[in-house]
Amino acid sequence: MKILFADKKLEKLLGDFRKCSQVMGEKRAKLLVVRLNALRDARSLEDVRCFPGRFHELVANRKGQWSCDLDHPYRLIFEPLENPIPKNAHGQFEWIRIKGVSILEITDYH
């Protein structure tokens, strides 16, 4: 799957494991590598739906964004590159038609 980043600073940080470990800690940096590799290796978002990390859609003011778990309480937040996001006849997002994501942030949104 295609992966873009919300900004160059985030892309640079996540592209440098050593720097990422210094800023976020080794545990979170290792989990980020695993989650990003899962996304890169996937053909569509559907492929990661049942992977470790609990990839899931967000709701309310974050509707249209997805999240996966890192070290508690932190999450990797991303959104599909497709605009508009593909939906079925019932208004549900079609994960299988999402072929790329933009990484937005790493945060504790709770």
Side-chain angles (χ1 to χ4, degrees):
M1 189 164 26
K2 183 176 184 177
I3 297 178
L4 300 179
F5 296 87
D7 58 56
K8 292 290 181 190
K9 183 179 175 184
L10 183 61
E11 181 177 14
K12 188 174 180 180
L13 178 65
L14 297 182
D16 182 345
F17 181 78
R18 178 187 235 174
K19 180 70 172 171
C20 191
S21 292
Q22 291 172 343
V23 172
M24 298 186 181
E26 190 170 340
K27 181 177 182 179
R28 190 174 314 145
K30 285 180 178 179
L31 286 168
L32 278 164
V33 168
V34 170
R35 304 296 184 251
L36 289 172
N37 284 340
L39 287 168
R40 277 190 193 100
D41 292 344
R43 290 178 310 235
S44 73
L45 200 52
E46 182 69 30
D47 292 345
V48 297
R49 184 173 235 166
C50 296
F51 275 27
R54 205 173 57 91
F55 289 79
H56 60 281
E57 297 175 31
L58 299 177
V59 295
N61 64 328
R62 287 193 175 261
K63 187 166 179 74
Q65 295 179 351
W66 272 251
S67 171
C68 64
D69 296 345
L70 298 172
D71 56 322
H72 186 73
Y74 290 93
R75 308 287 190 269
L76 177 66
I77 311 299
F78 55 94
E79 65 185 4
L81 293 178
E82 287 76 10
N83 188 13
I85 302 170
K87 294 181 182 179
N88 65 20
H90 302 288
Q92 299 164 319
F93 293 127
E94 291 187 287
W95 290 45
I96 199 158
R97 293 180 51 206
I98 297 170
K99 307 291 185 185
V101 296
S102 176
I103 305 298
L104 302 176
E105 62 182 330
I106 293 133
T107 189
D108 170 13
Y109 56 77
H110 292 109

